[in-house]
Amino acid sequence: MIGSGILKGMAVTARNFVGSYFDKERLITVQYPEERDPLPENYRNFPFLVYDGDDSQAGLRCVACKICEKECPPQCIYIVKSENKKPDYMGKPQFYPKIFDIDISVCMSCQICVEVCPFEAIKMDKDFELSRRERFDALLMRKDDLAKSNDYYRRISPTDAAGVDAKLAAAAEAAAKKKAAAPAAAKPATTATSPVSARASS
Amino acid sequence: MSVTIETLEAMERPPVSMGSRLEGELLEVSMGPQHPSTHGVFRMNVALEGEIVRKLKPVFGYLHRNHEKIGENASYLGSMPYTDRLDYFCSMTNNWAYALSVEKLAGIEVPERAEYLRVILAELTRLQNHASLLGFLLNDMGAWGTPLMYAFREREKILDLFESLSGSRMMCDYMRFGGCRVDASPEWLAHAKKIVDRFPRFVDELEQLIVGNEVVIARTQNVGNVSPELAVSAGITGPMLRACGVNYDVRKVDGYGFYPRFKFRIPLGEHGDTYDRLMMRVLEMGESVGILKQAFEQVPTGPIINPKVKIRAFRPPVGEAYGRIEAPKGELGFYLISDGGTNPYRYRVRPPSFINLTILEDMCLGHTVADVMVILGSIDIVMGEVDR
Amino acid sequence: MDVIPKKPAESMEPIEQIKARIEAAVPGASIEILQNASPSQQHSLKIDNEHAHDVAKWLHDDPALRLDFCSNVTGVDWLDRTVKKMVKVKKVVDGEEKEVAETTEEKIPGYLEAVYHLYSMTHKHGPVIIRMRTADRAAGARLPSLTPIWRSAEFQEREIFDLYGIRFDGHPDLRRILMWDEFEDYPMRKDYREPDDYEYEPTPHDDVLERAKRYYTPRPQIDGAESIVEPLNG
């Protein structure tokens, strides 16, 4: 019968329409921004710099090795290395980035900077509400905008952060052992506690 | 049911003389680049006689960004996120095709679990690509919104899976040379299995919407026929080729990944018309669900990436390789020439939807303007890939 | 777990045999096997331009090969280069015959190359890779078109013409395809230099900005919305 195919299709639409009142699977729209779906833990959007401790500038893990700048596919990272060394959070003198800019109007959140970083200093953020009224300088993230604490990192991606913390703690422990084993160690090994164990004890 | 050229021409030329009738005069119309049915910025210069297409020249390049040049200037790894942006509906299969080519070039082994994850993600990509293509195609035919929204609802669930695994819905950047970037948790696999188990319900609904629908049949059957000889000669691949009855699927022919371990059939069409191309997608979704179910059962535990592959300063040996996979739109190939450096000397993408457009003119000649939309929609193009 | 079947591509005849059979079938054709040292082991056949059409036709029609599917067509740019070779030469030094290592420099003029990846849909094997080389990178950049044999080369040869500047003789519709018709250079060539103003990036540290400054006035360092309010007040 001609028209039966259309009627069958109508039945499908009717089923979907009525079903959307009862079946959660048929109505998956969320009324953003009042309602929000929880973000998955692996979600990534633009990188940030991790710092340990309370001082956002002194505690930066970044040592301005410029690997991420070189590997970044769209070349959106710009780093100027410091001339002098400054003690980092663990008290070890390190270079630090004098300038660290990420142009997030160019960045495509590909996560390659995170993968290549040997110091666990750059991680992916979850902040996606970044609309600006100006399209050039407002989207150029300076070092101050990028620095976020390790606590923040633990909050947004707990699993990854726990892994990173354990890795750093193990590295710090190994370094401390090495130092203790060396007879001419100037500094006592106890000062070289990891940021994790220091935080855990406080 | 379908309208043949002869009858349309008879309609065009009424027996009564109409005085200043423009007998045989062609009207040139530029369709696109801003046209809802062109799925992006694609333009067709059409010469019309009345409503009948007498000539059609596609115009490309509105989205051209010289992807290949970018690839030659970026490191091997640095090109991976750019491949997401080729066919932005199917970033997982683009990743796979590129990773496969580099693995061929450098002779890299892939761990078993990673191969299974790749198959799972590629088939999920096929599901969501075909679902949204059918939605768009019905949209082009005038079924405004409703089927597309149903398709997007299902696609959304799969994109959520991609997001929770790779961190991004569409720009996944998931695969790496010699494996994958993030491991899938057992919860993720369980959730994905649940979604795949529910997927046939949607396929059935979609079939009920379109298979017997008189309007769909009238608009698609005997429209845009392609002969198998022309399709093979023009290098047509993917569902469009199989709609002509040519049994050629890179998954079976090359047996890349772990596809030889799965049991699946290749749906084939008979007439090579738009209806067959449409049904090909419906049937392939069913087969993909079958592959996914087998993959979820077989997926082993183990490492997901070959530890020998360096992330930084990756240098394949001097030589060249052409790797290809069966992407949802057809055969997606990457051709790489290495001179031993950190970036490829030549980086070439063989985009399926670009080459499938070769016979657009042949398919459209003699049909009406309205049919051009449907024919173009059934080719399944994404301009990010066509223009590169 | 089942045993993974061997890839069907390996069932194809060896490339040396293909070469011999072409040379027997197309008299006068000079075929050269280009070895590929990488693990992919995809060797290619360099065919001469005069007999390219006949060779391609034979590859397409030969019942054992039946390469009816031309998957990928692409261009490659090879610049002028010098190859330094260490050659051991026997020389008379101080009345004694010695083996002395000598470096010889060989200048290889640049050329453009078109690469065709051929598969067979009938026999489901492949790829057979054929290459053609132009005489030089300027006026001699001409090759015979293989579009009459494989229709799939139509757009891809146009693309090579557009991006590399190889003219394909016998192509039905050789126009630019991705770049606009008025564009003059060939962007995929290795020595292509983009014009100074081709991209204006707002990144303040990029050298693109330095070059672009010559074409664009510096933008004011204010919030965009402020400039909208001003005329309303005034």
Side-chain angles (χ1 to χ4, degrees), chain A residues 1-6 8-10 12-17 23 25-28 37 39-44 67 71 73-74 108-112 115-116 118, chain B residues 75 77-78 81-82 85 146 150 152-154 156-157 160 163-168 171-173 176 181-183 198 201 205 208-209 212-215 311-313:
Chain A
M1 187 190 84
I2 208 154
S4 64
I6 293 176
K8 232 172 82 221
M10 295 276 196
V12 172
T13 44
R15 203 156 59 233
N16 270 282
F17 171 68
D23 190 356
E25 255 184 54
R26 290 194 194 268
L27 186 73
I28 54 165
D37 266 346
L39 285 175
E41 200 185 320
N42 281 346
Y43 177 75
R44 61 187 152 93
I67 288 173
E71 293 289 327
M108 54 183 183
S109 301
C110 66
Q111 206 181 21
I112 284 177
E115 276 168 67
V116 298
Chain B
S75 67
L77 176 63
Y82 285 117
R85 286 141 177 92
T146 308
Y150 293 170
F152 265 44
R153 185 185 63 202
E154 299 310 312
E156 184 63 32
K157 291 173 191 164
D160 280 348
E163 189 183 23
S164 61
L165 183 63
S166 73
S168 189
M171 304 296 139
C172 298
D173 184 25
R176 290 286 178 261
R181 189 161 54 79
V182 200
D183 200 359
R198 306 280 282 171
R201 190 175 77 156
E205 268 186 11
Q208 281 177 31
L209 265 181
N213 191 301
E214 285 80 4
V215 182
I311 293 184
R312 280 171 50 214

Side-chain angles (χ1 to χ4, degrees), chain B residues 5 8 13 31 39 126 135 139 146 156 166 187 192 197 241 277 331 355 365 386-387:
Chain B
I5 302 157
L8 271 172
R13 294 197 178 79
M31 278 171 67
H39 301 255
R126 202 181 311 278
N139 211 9
T146 308
E156 184 63 32
S166 73
E187 297 84 54
D197 286 342
L241 173 75
R277 287 196 282 278
E331 175 191 321
I355 293 160
L365 290 187
V386 174
D387 287 345

Side-chain angles (χ1 to χ4, degrees), chain A residues 3-82:
Chain A
S4 64
I6 293 176
L7 287 176
K8 232 172 82 221
M10 295 276 196
V12 172
T13 44
R15 203 156 59 233
N16 270 282
F17 171 68
V18 179
S20 68
Y21 283 96
F22 308 103
D23 190 356
K24 190 81 186 86
E25 255 184 54
R26 290 194 194 268
L27 186 73
I28 54 165
T29 319
V30 169
Q31 297 296 325
Y32 179 83
E34 289 83 19
E35 274 179 68
R36 278 154 197 265
D37 266 346
L39 285 175
E41 200 185 320
N42 281 346
Y43 177 75
R44 61 187 152 93
N45 203 28
F46 300 133
F48 71 95
L49 295 171
V50 189
Y51 67 84
D52 294 309
D54 302 322
D55 187 350
S56 70
Q57 294 310 311
L60 277 186
R61 288 179 186 169
C62 177
V63 298
C65 67
K66 294 201 181 186
I67 288 173
C68 54
E69 185 188 35
K70 206 172 135 239
E71 293 289 327
C72 174
Q75 295 288 300
C76 68
I77 304 179
Y78 176 66
I79 301 173
V80 173
K81 196 175 177 173
S82 63

Side-chain angles (χ1 to χ4, degrees), chain A residues 75-78 101 103 105-106 133-137 140 142, chain C residues 200-206 219-226:
Chain A
Q75 295 288 300
C76 68
I77 304 179
Y78 176 66
D101 294 345
D103 191 339
S105 63
V106 176
R133 294 170 75 193
E134 204 260 346
R135 72 193 180 100
F136 299 117
D137 287 341
L140 183 73
R142 308 274 178 193
Chain C
Y200 176 54
E201 269 183 33
T203 12
H205 46 71
D206 215 319
R219 62 204 152 76
Q221 295 289 316
I222 49 165
D223 191 280
E226 288 168 50

